[in-house]
Amino acid sequence: MRVVIDTNVLVSSLMTHDGVCQQVVDAMVIHDQICLSRSVWAEYTSVLNRPSFAFISDSVTMLLAEISNDALWITPESSIWRTSDATDQIFLDLAVS
């Protein structure tokens, strides 16, 4: 199955290493094809490297490598659907591409 991961899931997976979000990410890496776009990747790297989170750099690097390893890179077209939160539009556009 093709999947798109919201950034909040990745943040939560780094905050609680054995939590549900980490289990979901692990399952998707093993069983699904993660879809990425340049804009989604830019958001991942920007958000996960924010000083306010104080994540260990190696943990972020490993998570991003795990996600991108077998990812399907897509150049999405603008969707006819609009989200109520404009910052989520990149995920919707990717999901419907």
Side-chain angles (χ1 to χ4, degrees), residues 9-70:
V9 174
L10 300 181
V11 169
S12 294
S13 75
L14 287 170
M15 288 183 164
T16 55
H17 299 286
D18 295 327
V20 172
C21 285
Q22 183 59 54
Q23 293 171 17
V24 167
V25 170
D26 289 344
M28 285 189 284
V29 166
I30 293 168
H31 301 290
D32 300 314
Q33 184 166 40
I34 297 171
C35 297
L36 293 173
S37 67
R38 287 183 183 178
S39 55
V40 166
W41 185 255
E43 172 157 320
Y44 287 172
T45 57
S46 172
V47 170
L48 297 178
N49 286 297
R50 285 182 184 162
S52 57
F53 286 125
F55 292 135
I56 298 169
S57 179
D58 287 347
S59 296
V60 171
T61 300
M62 287 174 48
L63 177 62
L64 291 174
E66 185 178 40
I67 289 169
S68 66
N69 190 35
D70 292 319

Side-chain angles (χ1 to χ4, degrees), residues 1-7 28 33-41 44 72-83 87-97:
M1 174 183 344
R2 292 182 177 175
V3 296
V4 175
I5 306 173
D6 186 79
T7 311
M28 285 189 284
Q33 184 166 40
I34 297 171
C35 297
L36 293 173
S37 67
R38 287 183 183 178
S39 55
V40 166
W41 185 255
Y44 287 172
L72 175 62
W73 287 86
I74 297 172
T75 303
E77 295 183 22
S78 184
S79 171
I80 60 170
W81 295 286
R82 293 284 163 238
T83 62
T87 62
D88 287 335
Q89 191 65 43
I90 59 173
F91 297 98
L92 178 60
D93 291 346
L94 178 58
V96 298
S97 291

